[in-house]
Amino acid sequence: SYELTQPPSVSVSPGQTARITCSGDALPKKFAFWYQQKSGQAPLLIIYEDNKLPSGIADRFSGSSSGTLATLTISEAQVEDEADYYCYSTGDSDSHNWVFGGGTKLTVL
Amino acid sequence: EVHLVQSGGGLVTPGGSLILACAASGFNFTDAWMTWVRQAPGKGLEWVGRIATKRDGGTADYGAPVRGRFVISRDDSKTMLFLQMNSLKTEDTAVYYCAAGIVPARWGQGTLVTVSS
């Protein structure tokens, strides 16, 4: 079955840039989406279709995709950005089945 | 405002069944593909499955771990989404979320299902 691979953890100091990667064989043909999940809360969509920002999401969040690697970038990371981040995509040609990456714990301190 | 209010859940013994419900409001439910996602304690998000709109065929697709045991259905007249879970295993223990969209942008509050003897 299709898999998306993320690093388990990323750590940055406040004000630095954090980059979280997501690797998947179908990413050259399929969009990547990114979710933020803070402790005890439902996930929040923060990037859609590789690099688009939903309304209300801070513009320090950005996304990119090249080949089999999608990247979430958090510029000038803040303590409040500490959360788990998940990429989401499909490996199916007809998009019948979707999958989340394993998640990346971002620590900002 | 979009609301997804979940009900059901609780403790069930292995091999048992349970049904989760999700009441939707604030958007055109009939035109929305709906998704179920779960999260085992201390683990990551797992896609359970999704159901198409009636107009797009109303079919459901499932992740491999639940295929053949879980059934997703919808009642557009009541704007309700359901997850029927059969032959439950201990590894199905998780918080289950209903969500609106193939790429969910709105989520329910989550409901805990515990499978244990």
Side-chain angles (χ1 to χ4, degrees):
Chain A
S1 61
Y2 186 56
E3 292 185 357
L4 296 171
T5 302
Q6 299 180 233
S9 63
V10 168
S11 183
V12 296
S13 300
Q16 289 188 325
T17 296
R19 293 182 179 84
I20 298 172
T21 58
C22 173
S23 175
D25 289 341
L27 290 178
K29 299 177 297 229
K30 297 294 184 181
F31 286 125
F33 302 81
W34 290 93
Y35 287 90
Q36 177 195 68
Q37 187 183 34
K38 295 184 177 179
S39 181
Q41 297 182 16
L44 174 69
L45 182 67
I46 58 172
I47 295 289
Y48 68 100
E49 294 180 355
D50 290 344
N51 55 21
K52 296 180 175 62
L53 209 63
S55 174
I57 302 301
D59 60 7
R60 64 178 180 276
F61 292 94
S62 63
S64 62
S65 188
S66 178
T68 60
L69 197 70
T71 303
L72 171 69
T73 301
I74 308 169
S75 304
E76 298 182 2
Q78 302 181 8
V79 173
E80 68 205 52
D81 298 331
E82 193 162 286
D84 294 320
Y85 291 85
Y86 297 89
C87 59
Y88 179 68
S89 189
T90 177
D92 289 355
S93 58
D94 49 10
S95 301
H96 277 195
N97 290 279
W98 289 73
V99 64
F100 287 96
T104 299
K105 170 65 179 178
L106 175 66
T107 301
V108 182
L109 56 76
Chain B
E1 186 180 353
V2 173
H3 282 290
L4 296 170
V5 178
Q6 298 181 229
S7 58
L11 176 64
V12 61
T13 54
S17 296
L18 202 61
I19 185 163
L20 305 183
C22 175
S25 62
F27 65 102
N28 188 345
F29 183 80
T30 301
D31 287 341
W33 291 53
M34 299 295 292
T35 296
W36 286 97
V37 175
R38 69 182 181 182
Q39 187 167 35
K43 303 297 185 182
L45 301 174
E46 181 180 22
W47 186 82
V48 172
R50 64 107 179 101
I51 187 166
T53 63
K54 290 286 193 295
R55 182 175 57 190
D56 290 325
T59 56
D61 288 288
Y62 303 90
V66 308
R67 196 173 299 140
R69 299 187 297 123
F70 288 14
V71 178
I72 300 172
S73 61
R74 62 191 298 157
D75 184 338
D76 288 351
S77 68
K78 295 184 171 64
T79 64
M80 294 285 295
L81 177 73
F82 302 98
L83 179 65
Q84 173 74 46
M85 303 182 291
N86 303 316
S87 303
L88 282 161
K89 306 175 181 180
T90 56
E91 53 262 43
D92 294 319
T93 294
V95 172
Y96 285 75
Y97 293 98
C98 66
I102 298 174
V103 179
R106 293 290 185 266
W107 296 64
Q109 82 275 20
T111 188
L112 177 62
V113 172
T114 302
V115 185
S116 175
S117 55

